[in-house]
Amino acid sequence: ASNECEDKAASSSSPKFEEAIKIAKALLESGKFSNAEIAKIADIQEADIADILARLEKKRISKGGNPDDSPLPAMKKYHADKKKKAKK
């Protein structure tokens, strides 16, 4: 799992991400957390970020933003389906 963290850090240019990797490595080295626990924390953070992005995108669209400009495929599909229903 350590190599996976290093691979992700190498592929990311985000200083915040690199800092998170350093913290994760320090936690692993402390022996207080297992690889699985660190991975679970990272997964939760990714899920939280995805949820926040979806909420922000929903708000942007509700304020009059174009759903076709959404970077989230689920939002595009939802609004395309909604348009189809409205045409019927």
Side-chain angles (χ1 to χ4, degrees):
S2 173
N3 289 337
E4 291 174 29
C5 291
E6 291 170 6
D7 292 343
K8 285 184 179 180
S11 67
S12 175
S13 60
S14 168
K16 243 182 176 181
F17 184 78
E18 291 174 13
E19 183 65 25
I21 294 298
K22 288 178 186 176
I23 292 169
K25 285 182 181 181
L27 290 172
L28 281 172
E29 290 169 1
S30 74
K32 294 181 183 178
F33 298 95
S34 69
N35 286 346
E37 290 170 322
I38 298 290
K40 186 176 179 181
I41 291 168
D43 287 343
I44 290 170
Q45 288 176 345
E46 287 178 20
D48 290 343
I49 291 169
D51 183 50
I52 291 167
L53 288 174
R55 288 176 188 214
L56 287 171
E57 187 62 13
K58 183 178 178 183
K59 186 174 185 176
R60 182 191 71 79
I61 292 168
S62 73
K63 299 285 183 186
N66 185 353
D68 295 332
D69 294 338
S70 177
L72 304 176
M75 285 288 180
K76 287 181 184 180
K77 182 179 181 327
Y78 172 78
H79 286 282
D81 292 345
K82 200 171 170 182
K83 282 181 184 177
K84 285 179 188 175
K85 286 183 182 177
K87 286 183 179 178
K88 289 182 179 180

